[in-house]
Amino acid sequence: MSRPRRRLASTCVGTVTAGLLATGAALAAPDENRTGDSGIAMGAYLDYGPNGVARIPYLSRWLGGREIRVGHTYLPGDQWAGIEGRVSFLEDWARWRLADDDRMFVLNVPMQERNEARVPDQQVARLIRAGARGDHDEHFRRLAERLVSLGVPDTVIVLGWEMNGVTYTHRCRPDPANWKVYWRRVVDVMRAVPGQKFKFDFAPSRGTDAIGWTKCYPGDDHVDIIGMDSYDQAPGETFDEQISQPYGLQKHVDFARAHRKAISYPEWGLFRRGDNPEYVRRMLRWIEQHKPLYHTITDYCPHGVWQCKQNPESSKAFRDALMPEAPGPVVPTPVVPTPVVPTPVVPTPVVPTPVVPTPAVPTPQVPTPTVPTPQIPTPQVPTPTVPTPQVPTPQVPTPQVPTPQVPTPQVTEPAPEPSPVAPSPEVPTPAAPSPVVPSPVVPSPEVPTPAGPTPAAPSPEVPKPSPAAPSPVAPAPVTPSPVVPKPEPTPAAPLPQQPPLNSMQWCVPLNFGEWLSKLVGKQSVCVTIDLGEGSGFWPF
């Protein structure tokens, strides 16, 4: 019974597996125009100075985030100072290189000053022989020391590039033998500088040009990389002819393989044929096929595809080929049904569990002790009884002599020159029976008197007011004492032919204690005592 089911399951699994393999093969078919990111270091020449460094991240963004690993620039060849590296932009490139260990700095180095001055062949030959004798060694030693000091001792040196052409003063054809000696001498001088790790790239231009570039090859001991500059121009009308022509792309690959050297493409791009997307696609596929150490497109017009806007089709081809591949659609994995094999049900025998009686253990009753709560007596605080003080009303005897009325003088105009007021001595209080009341001592008010001639007696006389010319009454001074009501003089009936006598009202504050004073307020007893000459109390 189990054998037919097993055959059926095997047949289903085999059918589904075959379908999956066929689907995977269809999905895995690569796009022939996409090179992908195969690990080849890629870059572009964007500018020789700081602008070239600054444009690198923008090119990377244009390519969908593809990493630009190669920074490529050139030393000026008009004077030996430039060839020695005495230019400030090297510092910018060194900082860019040191920011990431995976980056590569490629530097084209001329072999002669006035390198683009169209120097004739005879003079070029003399310069080549001078270099072979060592006349220019010091210039290259200084360059090597400069690069080591900047922290880029592993720079790729493209020395005397396109030496098989007619453009540069460091060309090879005027004296190929001494040219190779000169190259080897420069390499030896730079390698002798402590700390260097330079790689020297021998990079002719594609094709025969002025001389077959293999005739300028200085030897394997002084070359690390065999490069080639290849633009879309003659010789070769098509890309296939660029491959197969003498000293073409195929010759370059074969020669490097024979000498066990890595290859490179330091310069490539559009040129004589304008916007040519087919050339761009074929060149990128060639690079992907032969895995150079690095490649850099020359990105300015007419060669470029990013900064140069006159090549839109080639630009699209370049970008489509180098952008990171977007993730493809998710293909659901087919569900392979697993055959269900019924499992026989084996009855489990029921084993009765013996009932073991649990002995009942009596729980002892522990009496809970009763703790009496102590009664804490509440203390009775007696309320103090505050006695109400009985204040006797003072009995002031009224004198039998009527008190004369003191008229209030009407002051019409102030005295022209008032004399200083002399203080009046205190008037003693006559001995009159009065209750003793605990109160603060109230000073007797002083009776101001107008200044007169100095008296002979110790006490000044109090002048009597004249009805015809009343004297101004000076205000009584304010005494610093508890609040005392202002004494009001009691008017009396005027006596004929008698001058007004002094009268005074006495007020005594009553002190009931702090607690009672808060209830009834401050109280005072005021009496008017006539101390005039006719009162019987006048002591003088």
Side-chain angles (χ1 to χ4, degrees), residues 291-333:
K291 302 293 188 293
L293 181 65
Y294 71 92
H295 72 98
T296 53
I297 187 171
T298 303
D299 196 72
Y300 59 85
C301 289
H303 314 298
V305 293
W306 177 51
Q307 295 187 101
C308 184
K309 306 304 180 184
Q310 67 188 37
N311 302 314
E313 295 299 325
S314 298
S315 176
K316 183 178 184 304
F318 184 88
R319 191 166 182 259
D320 291 345
L322 292 180
M323 282 189 66
E325 185 174 359
V330 179
V331 180
T333 303

Short mmCIF file of all heavy atoms in Angstrom, two decimals, residues 291-333:
data_model
loop_
_atom_site.label_atom_id
_atom_site.label_comp_id
_atom_site.label_asym_id
_atom_site.label_seq_id
_atom_site.Cartn_x
_atom_site.Cartn_y
_atom_site.Cartn_z
N LYS A 291 38.35 42.29 -17.61
CA LYS A 291 38.65 42.59 -16.20
C LYS A 291 39.94 43.39 -16.02
O LYS A 291 40.91 42.91 -15.43
CB LYS A 291 38.76 41.28 -15.40
CG LYS A 291 37.52 40.40 -15.45
CD LYS A 291 36.34 41.07 -14.74
CE LYS A 291 35.16 40.14 -14.60
NZ LYS A 291 34.53 39.80 -15.91
N PRO A 292 39.98 44.64 -16.47
CA PRO A 292 41.16 45.46 -16.19
C PRO A 292 41.24 45.81 -14.71
O PRO A 292 40.26 45.69 -13.97
CB PRO A 292 40.93 46.71 -17.04
CG PRO A 292 39.45 46.81 -17.15
CD PRO A 292 38.94 45.40 -17.19
N LEU A 293 42.43 46.28 -14.28
CA LEU A 293 42.60 46.72 -12.91
C LEU A 293 41.72 47.94 -12.63
O LEU A 293 41.15 48.07 -11.54
CB LEU A 293 44.07 47.05 -12.64
CG LEU A 293 44.41 47.51 -11.22
CD1 LEU A 293 44.15 46.39 -10.22
CD2 LEU A 293 45.87 47.97 -11.14
N TYR A 294 41.59 48.83 -13.62
CA TYR A 294 40.73 50.00 -13.49
C TYR A 294 40.44 50.55 -14.88
O TYR A 294 41.12 50.22 -15.86
CB TYR A 294 41.38 51.09 -12.61
CG TYR A 294 42.55 51.78 -13.26
CD1 TYR A 294 42.38 52.96 -14.00
CD2 TYR A 294 43.84 51.26 -13.17
CE1 TYR A 294 43.46 53.60 -14.60
CE2 TYR A 294 44.91 51.89 -13.77
CZ TYR A 294 44.72 53.06 -14.49
OH TYR A 294 45.79 53.67 -15.10
N HIS A 295 39.44 51.42 -14.98
CA HIS A 295 39.18 52.16 -16.21
C HIS A 295 38.56 53.50 -15.85
O HIS A 295 37.81 53.62 -14.86
CB HIS A 295 38.27 51.36 -17.17
CG HIS A 295 36.84 51.28 -16.73
ND1 HIS A 295 35.85 52.11 -17.21
CD2 HIS A 295 36.23 50.43 -15.85
CE1 HIS A 295 34.69 51.78 -16.67
NE2 HIS A 295 34.90 50.75 -15.83
N THR A 296 38.87 54.53 -16.64
CA THR A 296 38.32 55.87 -16.42
C THR A 296 37.96 56.49 -17.77
O THR A 296 38.80 56.59 -18.67
CB THR A 296 39.32 56.80 -15.69
OG1 THR A 296 40.57 56.78 -16.39
CG2 THR A 296 39.56 56.34 -14.27
N ILE A 297 36.69 56.88 -17.89
CA ILE A 297 36.25 57.56 -19.11
C ILE A 297 36.63 59.04 -19.01
O ILE A 297 36.61 59.63 -17.93
CB ILE A 297 34.73 57.39 -19.30
CG1 ILE A 297 34.30 57.94 -20.66
CG2 ILE A 297 33.95 58.03 -18.16
CD1 ILE A 297 32.85 57.61 -21.01
N THR A 298 37.02 59.62 -20.13
CA THR A 298 37.33 61.05 -20.18
C THR A 298 36.03 61.81 -20.35
O THR A 298 35.43 61.80 -21.43
CB THR A 298 38.30 61.36 -21.33
OG1 THR A 298 39.48 60.57 -21.16
CG2 THR A 298 38.65 62.83 -21.36
N ASP A 299 35.59 62.50 -19.28
CA ASP A 299 34.24 63.06 -19.29
C ASP A 299 34.25 64.57 -19.48
O ASP A 299 33.97 65.33 -18.55
CB ASP A 299 33.51 62.69 -18.00
CG ASP A 299 32.01 62.90 -18.13
OD1 ASP A 299 31.36 62.12 -18.83
OD2 ASP A 299 31.51 63.88 -17.55
N TYR A 300 34.61 65.01 -20.66
CA TYR A 300 34.36 66.38 -21.10
C TYR A 300 34.17 66.31 -22.61
O TYR A 300 34.52 65.33 -23.26
CB TYR A 300 35.51 67.32 -20.71
CG TYR A 300 36.87 66.97 -21.25
CD1 TYR A 300 37.26 67.36 -22.52
CD2 TYR A 300 37.78 66.24 -20.48
CE1 TYR A 300 38.51 67.05 -23.02
CE2 TYR A 300 39.03 65.92 -20.97
CZ TYR A 300 39.41 66.33 -22.23
OH TYR A 300 40.65 66.01 -22.74
N CYS A 301 33.61 67.34 -23.18
CA CYS A 301 33.30 67.31 -24.61
C CYS A 301 34.59 67.35 -25.44
O CYS A 301 35.52 68.07 -25.10
CB CYS A 301 32.41 68.50 -24.99
SG CYS A 301 30.72 68.37 -24.36
N PRO A 302 34.64 66.58 -26.51
CA PRO A 302 33.55 65.78 -27.11
C PRO A 302 33.48 64.35 -26.62
O PRO A 302 32.71 63.56 -27.14
CB PRO A 302 33.92 65.80 -28.60
CG PRO A 302 35.42 65.78 -28.58
CD PRO A 302 35.83 66.60 -27.38
N HIS A 303 34.29 63.99 -25.60
CA HIS A 303 34.43 62.57 -25.24
C HIS A 303 33.39 62.09 -24.24
O HIS A 303 33.12 60.89 -24.17
CB HIS A 303 35.82 62.33 -24.65
CG HIS A 303 36.94 62.95 -25.41
ND1 HIS A 303 37.22 62.60 -26.71
CD2 HIS A 303 37.83 63.93 -25.08
CE1 HIS A 303 38.26 63.32 -27.15
NE2 HIS A 303 38.64 64.14 -26.17
N GLY A 304 32.83 62.99 -23.43
CA GLY A 304 32.11 62.58 -22.24
C GLY A 304 30.67 62.20 -22.44
O GLY A 304 30.07 62.41 -23.50
N VAL A 305 30.09 61.68 -21.35
CA VAL A 305 28.70 61.23 -21.35
C VAL A 305 27.91 61.82 -20.19
O VAL A 305 26.68 61.69 -20.15
CB VAL A 305 28.63 59.68 -21.27
CG1 VAL A 305 29.17 59.04 -22.53
CG2 VAL A 305 29.37 59.17 -20.04
N TRP A 306 28.56 62.47 -19.26
CA TRP A 306 27.84 63.08 -18.13
C TRP A 306 27.91 64.61 -18.22
O TRP A 306 26.89 65.28 -18.30
CB TRP A 306 28.42 62.59 -16.79
CG TRP A 306 27.77 63.24 -15.61
CD1 TRP A 306 26.44 63.33 -15.35
CD2 TRP A 306 28.44 63.92 -14.53
NE1 TRP A 306 26.22 64.02 -14.17
CE2 TRP A 306 27.44 64.39 -13.64
CE3 TRP A 306 29.77 64.17 -14.22
CZ2 TRP A 306 27.73 65.08 -12.47
CZ3 TRP A 306 30.06 64.85 -13.05
CH2 TRP A 306 29.06 65.31 -12.20
N GLN A 307 29.11 65.16 -18.22
CA GLN A 307 29.25 66.62 -18.30
C GLN A 307 29.01 67.15 -19.71
O GLN A 307 28.63 68.31 -19.87
CB GLN A 307 30.66 67.04 -17.84
CG GLN A 307 30.92 66.76 -16.36
CD GLN A 307 32.23 67.35 -15.88
OE1 GLN A 307 32.25 68.39 -15.25
NE2 GLN A 307 33.34 66.68 -16.20
N CYS A 308 29.22 66.31 -20.70
CA CYS A 308 29.02 66.73 -22.09
C CYS A 308 27.59 66.37 -22.51
O CYS A 308 27.24 65.19 -22.56
CB CYS A 308 30.04 66.05 -23.00
SG CYS A 308 29.95 66.59 -24.71
N LYS A 309 26.77 67.38 -22.82
CA LYS A 309 25.36 67.16 -23.13
C LYS A 309 25.10 66.92 -24.61
O LYS A 309 23.94 66.73 -24.99
CB LYS A 309 24.55 68.38 -22.67
CG LYS A 309 24.74 68.75 -21.21
CD LYS A 309 24.44 67.58 -20.27
CE LYS A 309 24.65 67.97 -18.81
NZ LYS A 309 24.45 66.81 -17.90
N GLN A 310 26.14 66.89 -25.42
CA GLN A 310 25.92 66.70 -26.85
C GLN A 310 25.91 65.23 -27.26
O GLN A 310 25.80 64.92 -28.43
CB GLN A 310 27.01 67.43 -27.65
CG GLN A 310 28.39 66.87 -27.49
CD GLN A 310 29.46 67.74 -28.14
OE1 GLN A 310 29.39 68.97 -28.12
NE2 GLN A 310 30.45 67.10 -28.74
N ASN A 311 25.97 64.31 -26.28
CA ASN A 311 25.96 62.88 -26.57
C ASN A 311 24.85 62.19 -25.76
O ASN A 311 25.12 61.32 -24.93
CB ASN A 311 27.31 62.25 -26.24
CG ASN A 311 28.46 62.89 -27.00
OD1 ASN A 311 28.37 63.10 -28.21
ND2 ASN A 311 29.54 63.19 -26.29
N PRO A 312 23.58 62.55 -25.96
CA PRO A 312 22.51 62.01 -25.10
C PRO A 312 22.31 60.51 -25.23
O PRO A 312 22.05 59.84 -24.23
CB PRO A 312 21.27 62.79 -25.56
CG PRO A 312 21.58 63.22 -26.95
CD PRO A 312 23.06 63.49 -26.98
N GLU A 313 22.43 59.98 -26.45
CA GLU A 313 22.21 58.53 -26.61
C GLU A 313 23.32 57.73 -25.95
O GLU A 313 23.08 56.72 -25.28
CB GLU A 313 22.10 58.18 -28.09
CG GLU A 313 20.89 58.78 -28.78
CD GLU A 313 19.58 58.30 -28.17
OE1 GLU A 313 19.53 57.12 -27.75
OE2 GLU A 313 18.63 59.09 -28.10
N SER A 314 24.56 58.19 -26.14
CA SER A 314 25.68 57.50 -25.49
C SER A 314 25.60 57.64 -23.98
O SER A 314 25.95 56.72 -23.23
CB SER A 314 27.00 58.08 -26.00
OG SER A 314 27.14 57.87 -27.39
N SER A 315 25.10 58.79 -23.53
CA SER A 315 24.95 59.00 -22.10
C SER A 315 23.95 58.00 -21.51
O SER A 315 24.19 57.41 -20.45
CB SER A 315 24.46 60.43 -21.84
OG SER A 315 24.21 60.64 -20.49
N LYS A 316 22.86 57.78 -22.22
CA LYS A 316 21.86 56.83 -21.73
C LYS A 316 22.42 55.41 -21.72
O LYS A 316 22.19 54.64 -20.77
CB LYS A 316 20.61 56.90 -22.61
CG LYS A 316 19.47 56.01 -22.15
CD LYS A 316 18.26 56.18 -23.05
CE LYS A 316 17.08 55.36 -22.54
NZ LYS A 316 17.40 53.92 -22.42
N ALA A 317 23.17 55.06 -22.76
CA ALA A 317 23.75 53.72 -22.80
C ALA A 317 24.75 53.51 -21.66
O ALA A 317 24.78 52.45 -21.03
CB ALA A 317 24.44 53.51 -24.15
N PHE A 318 25.53 54.52 -21.38
CA PHE A 318 26.52 54.42 -20.30
C PHE A 318 25.82 54.27 -18.95
O PHE A 318 26.18 53.43 -18.12
CB PHE A 318 27.40 55.67 -20.31
CG PHE A 318 28.51 55.68 -19.32
CD1 PHE A 318 29.74 55.12 -19.62
CD2 PHE A 318 28.34 56.25 -18.06
CE1 PHE A 318 30.79 55.13 -18.70
CE2 PHE A 318 29.36 56.25 -17.13
CZ PHE A 318 30.59 55.69 -17.45
N ARG A 319 24.79 55.08 -18.75
CA ARG A 319 24.10 55.05 -17.46
C ARG A 319 23.32 53.75 -17.27
O ARG A 319 23.32 53.16 -16.18
CB ARG A 319 23.14 56.24 -17.38
CG ARG A 319 22.54 56.50 -16.02
CD ARG A 319 21.91 57.88 -16.00
NE ARG A 319 21.36 58.20 -14.69
CZ ARG A 319 20.08 58.13 -14.37
NH1 ARG A 319 19.20 57.74 -15.30
NH2 ARG A 319 19.67 58.45 -13.15
N ASP A 320 22.66 53.27 -18.32
CA ASP A 320 21.91 52.03 -18.19
C ASP A 320 22.82 50.85 -17.89
O ASP A 320 22.44 49.92 -17.17
CB ASP A 320 21.13 51.74 -19.48
CG ASP A 320 19.98 52.72 -19.69
OD1 ASP A 320 19.63 53.43 -18.71
OD2 ASP A 320 19.47 52.81 -20.82
N ALA A 321 24.04 50.88 -18.44
CA ALA A 321 24.95 49.75 -18.26
C ALA A 321 25.58 49.74 -16.87
O ALA A 321 25.86 48.66 -16.32
CB ALA A 321 26.05 49.79 -19.32
N LEU A 322 25.80 50.91 -16.27
CA LEU A 322 26.57 50.97 -15.02
C LEU A 322 25.73 51.20 -13.78
O LEU A 322 26.25 51.11 -12.67
CB LEU A 322 27.63 52.07 -15.12
CG LEU A 322 28.75 51.80 -16.12
CD1 LEU A 322 29.76 52.94 -16.13
CD2 LEU A 322 29.48 50.50 -15.78
N MET A 323 24.45 51.54 -13.95
CA MET A 323 23.62 51.71 -12.75
C MET A 323 23.44 50.38 -12.03
O MET A 323 23.34 49.32 -12.68
CB MET A 323 22.25 52.28 -13.12
CG MET A 323 22.24 53.77 -13.40
SD MET A 323 20.57 54.43 -13.57
CE MET A 323 19.94 54.19 -11.90
N PRO A 324 23.41 50.39 -10.72
CA PRO A 324 23.17 49.14 -9.98
C PRO A 324 21.86 48.51 -10.41
O PRO A 324 20.86 49.20 -10.65
CB PRO A 324 23.13 49.58 -8.52
CG PRO A 324 23.88 50.87 -8.48
CD PRO A 324 23.62 51.53 -9.80
N GLU A 325 21.88 47.21 -10.53
CA GLU A 325 20.70 46.50 -11.01
C GLU A 325 19.60 46.56 -9.96
O GLU A 325 19.83 46.29 -8.77
CB GLU A 325 21.06 45.05 -11.32
CG GLU A 325 19.92 44.26 -11.95
CD GLU A 325 20.37 42.87 -12.36
OE1 GLU A 325 21.56 42.57 -12.16
OE2 GLU A 325 19.54 42.12 -12.87
N ALA A 326 18.42 46.97 -10.39
CA ALA A 326 17.28 47.02 -9.48
C ALA A 326 16.82 45.61 -9.17
O ALA A 326 16.94 44.71 -9.99
CB ALA A 326 16.14 47.81 -10.11
N PRO A 327 16.31 45.38 -7.95
CA PRO A 327 15.83 44.02 -7.62
C PRO A 327 14.66 43.63 -8.51
O PRO A 327 13.77 44.44 -8.78
CB PRO A 327 15.42 44.15 -6.15
CG PRO A 327 15.20 45.61 -5.94
CD PRO A 327 16.15 46.31 -6.85
N GLY A 328 14.70 42.39 -9.01
CA GLY A 328 13.65 41.88 -9.90
C GLY A 328 12.39 41.54 -9.14
O GLY A 328 12.33 41.62 -7.91
N PRO A 329 11.35 41.17 -9.87
CA PRO A 329 10.09 40.80 -9.22
C PRO A 329 10.25 39.53 -8.40
O PRO A 329 11.06 38.65 -8.72
CB PRO A 329 9.12 40.59 -10.40
CG PRO A 329 10.01 40.27 -11.56
CD PRO A 329 11.27 41.06 -11.34
N VAL A 330 9.52 39.45 -7.33
CA VAL A 330 9.57 38.29 -6.45
C VAL A 330 8.71 37.19 -7.05
O VAL A 330 7.50 37.37 -7.26
CB VAL A 330 9.09 38.66 -5.03
CG1 VAL A 330 9.11 37.44 -4.12
CG2 VAL A 330 9.96 39.77 -4.47
N VAL A 331 9.34 36.07 -7.37
CA VAL A 331 8.63 34.93 -7.95
C VAL A 331 8.21 34.02 -6.81
O VAL A 331 9.05 33.54 -6.05
CB VAL A 331 9.53 34.17 -8.94
CG1 VAL A 331 8.76 32.98 -9.53
CG2 VAL A 331 10.01 35.09 -10.03
N PRO A 332 6.90 33.81 -6.65
CA PRO A 332 6.46 32.94 -5.54
C PRO A 332 6.91 31.51 -5.75
O PRO A 332 6.93 30.98 -6.86
CB PRO A 332 4.93 33.07 -5.58
CG PRO A 332 4.62 33.47 -6.99
CD PRO A 332 5.78 34.31 -7.45
N THR A 333 7.31 30.89 -4.69
CA THR A 333 7.73 29.49 -4.74
C THR A 333 6.49 28.60 -4.75
O THR A 333 5.62 28.76 -3.89
CB THR A 333 8.59 29.14 -3.53
OG1 THR A 333 9.70 30.05 -3.50
CG2 THR A 333 9.09 27.71 -3.57
#
